[in-house]
Amino acid sequence: MLTDEMKEAIEKNLVFVATASSDGTPNVVPIGFARPIDDKRILIVDVFMKKTLSNLEENPKMSIIVQNAKEHPYQFKGVAEIFKSGEFFKEAVEWAQNVMSEVEPKSAILMTVKEIYSVKPGPDAGKRIK
């Protein structure tokens, strides 16, 4: 589902993560620690999440868009799982602390991508890609 171009865009750019609470209140935050781990899943490190984590606990649906949407015009929609221990949490902690030794990740968010849309301006804006 995720192409090599999409994976590279996620890993090399800031991403914006959108969530909503169970009552529909939206929240969008920039995230620096996001990377694909295979063709369907994206690992996100929770260092400072408050509303985002609370929203995901109430409603696991989420969406991601890459900062540079002009070059990488994709929106990824999927479902999150939260890990506070285990393999994914350990991977998230090691990765984040290798980049910034002073950070203390609280959890790992594993997003399984279900849909991909174009956000490229023009007639294909909003068109489902996969």
Side-chain angles (χ1 to χ4, degrees), residues 5-118:
E5 176 192 351
M6 291 172 183
K7 290 177 187 177
E8 184 176 337
I10 294 165
E11 192 159 357
K12 292 188 176 183
N13 291 279
L14 187 67
V15 299
F16 292 88
V17 174
T19 60
S21 63
S22 59
D23 70 1
T25 304
N27 186 58
V28 178
V29 295
I31 300 291
F33 289 109
R35 71 177 180 197
I37 59 169
D38 58 32
D39 291 344
K40 295 180 185 175
R41 300 179 298 172
I42 300 167
L43 180 64
I44 300 164
V45 182
D46 165 18
V47 178
F48 302 112
M49 293 180 187
K50 290 182 179 136
K51 286 183 277 183
T52 300
L53 192 63
S54 176
N55 285 352
L56 291 173
E57 289 169 344
E58 293 178 20
N59 172 9
K61 294 179 182 177
M62 64 187 299
S63 183
I64 293 176
I65 190 167
V66 177
Q67 178 185 22
N68 189 348
K70 186 173 183 178
E71 287 183 36
H72 309 290
Y74 305 110
Q75 177 190 49
F76 307 94
K77 292 186 179 191
V79 179
E81 292 178 80
I82 301 167
F83 296 90
K84 296 187 183 275
S85 63
E87 173 190 344
F88 295 116
F89 179 70
K90 182 179 175 184
E91 181 178 340
V93 170
E94 287 176 5
W95 169 35
Q97 290 181 341
N98 280 336
V99 175
M100 299 174 65
S101 61
E102 68 277 6
V103 300
E104 293 185 30
K106 297 176 195 81
S107 60
I109 311 299
L110 189 64
M111 175 186 178
T112 300
V113 176
K114 301 290 187 182
E115 302 171 5
I116 302 172
Y117 292 86
S118 172

